[in-house]
């Protein structure tokens, strides 16, 4: 079916710690996954993406891991900062999608304690 | 300069009214979208346009009519507003049709009383 879900709706971490946000997807045909960050009162902002031919991709302070066997992906944020406080969404682009349709998960709210 | 701009940012109206939300992007992108975010923050695509042509209409009621006068604009008109239309509507654009990197506007919060 079309669903991308998250294990935890909220996550609270101490400033400087690493954060891990998890996401499960159900469509085994999906071949492209994206993480977005949405700060309060703003639109979602692209963070990083990964294709199904990879299992890991790194950006600046962020790493996305993809486990196709269990249909799970995660976003790791190193040295979490107060500015990282936001809602994080994983999104799925189903294979063969020609219409630009992204399927978003529920979202995890990350709260960073100073 | 704001890359994707939407107006108005807030819209409060009565049931049964007709309203429009405008969107403009200055990124030179060919593809534009409308997404709806409900009170639980769930984001769902409504429409996508590529080069002014409708690509996706995600089973949206025909009270919602998007219009793309040119590649830089995608407006959303809503007729006969209902309580359930209350949400935040996001416009977005992307360089390519089948990319995951969308550039979102700041949203238009619609409240139907």
């Amino acid at each position: 079916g079309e669903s991308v879900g998250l294990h935890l709706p909220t996550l609270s971490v101490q400033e400087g710690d690493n954060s891990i946000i998890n996401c499960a997807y159900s469509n085994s045909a999906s071949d492209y996954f994206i993480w977005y960050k949405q700060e309060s009162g703003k639109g979602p902002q692209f963070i990083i993406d990964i294709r199904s031919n990879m299992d890991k991709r790194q950006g600046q302070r962020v790493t996305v891991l993809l486990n196709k066997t269990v249909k799970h992906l995660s976003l790791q944020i190193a040295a979490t900062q107060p500015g990282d406080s936001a809602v994080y969404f994983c999104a799925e682009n189903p294979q063969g999608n020609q219409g630009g349709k992204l399927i978003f998960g529920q979202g995890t709210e990350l709260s960073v304690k100073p | 300069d704001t890359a994707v701009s939407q107006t108005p940012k807030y819209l409060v109206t009565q049931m049964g009214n007709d309203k429009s939300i405008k969107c403009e992007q200055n990124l030179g992108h060919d593809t534009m979208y409308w997404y709806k975010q409900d009170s639980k923050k769930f984001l769902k695509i409504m429409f996508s346009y590529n080069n002014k042509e409708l690509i996706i209409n995600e089973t949206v009621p025909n009270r919602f009519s998007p219009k793309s006068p040119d590649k830089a604009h995608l407006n959303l008109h809503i007729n006969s507003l209902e309580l359930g239309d209350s949400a935040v509507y996001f416009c977005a654009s992307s360089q390519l049709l089948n990319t995951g990197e969308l550039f979102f506007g700041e949203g238009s919060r619609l409240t139907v009383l």
Side-chain angles (χ1 to χ4, degrees), chain B residues 17-32:
Chain B
N17 284 351
D18 304 338
K19 290 294 177 188
S20 292
I21 307 172
K22 295 186 175 181
C23 178
E24 176 182 3
Q25 54 96 2
N26 63 6
L27 297 167
H29 290 167
D30 286 345
T31 308
M32 295 187 72

Side-chain angles (χ1 to χ4, degrees), chain A residues 32 34 36 38 41-44 46 87 89 93 97-102 104-106, chain B residues 9 33 35 37 41-43 45 48 55-56 58 90 97-98 100-102 104-106:
Chain A
Y32 180 36
I34 310 99
Y36 278 84
Q38 185 178 20
K42 296 191 175 180
F46 174 90
V87 177
F89 295 94
N93 191 358
N97 174 25
Q98 297 298 315
K101 172 181 172 179
L102 293 184
F104 281 82
Q106 183 182 12
Chain B
K9 193 170 172 67
Y33 311 81
Y35 276 79
Q37 187 171 48
K41 298 235 179 256
F42 182 63
L43 263 169
I45 190 167
S48 71
I55 303 297
I56 287 178
E58 191 66 8
F90 285 99
L97 180 58
N98 202 23
E101 187 171 1
L102 273 57
F104 283 85
E106 300 218 321

Side-chain angles (χ1 to χ4, degrees), chain B residues 37-53:
Chain B
Q37 187 171 48
D38 65 20
S39 58
K40 296 180 180 177
K41 298 235 179 256
F42 182 63
L43 263 169
K44 190 174 184 344
I45 190 167
M46 300 173 68
F47 302 102
S48 71
Y49 269 72
N50 189 54
N51 283 320
K52 302 192 298 175
E53 181 184 340

Side-chain angles (χ1 to χ4, degrees), chain A residues 22-81:
Chain A
N22 296 303
C23 180
Y25 63 95
S26 60
N27 187 348
S28 55
S30 291
D31 61 353
Y32 180 36
F33 304 90
I34 310 99
W35 281 99
Y36 278 84
K37 171 187 181 183
Q38 185 178 20
E39 295 177 70
S40 181
K42 296 191 175 180
Q45 181 182 11
F46 174 90
I47 302 173
I48 192 168
D49 57 3
I50 188 167
R51 296 206 175 266
S52 59
N53 60 354
M54 303 171 71
D55 52 22
K56 180 178 179 178
R57 190 157 189 234
Q58 287 184 291
Q60 189 176 15
R61 280 201 308 118
V62 296
T63 300
V64 56
L65 300 177
L66 175 62
N67 186 331
K68 295 180 287 293
T69 303
V70 294
K71 291 186 283 188
H72 179 272
L73 69 157
S74 66
L75 178 71
Q76 300 178 2
I77 304 173
T80 314
Q81 301 168 3

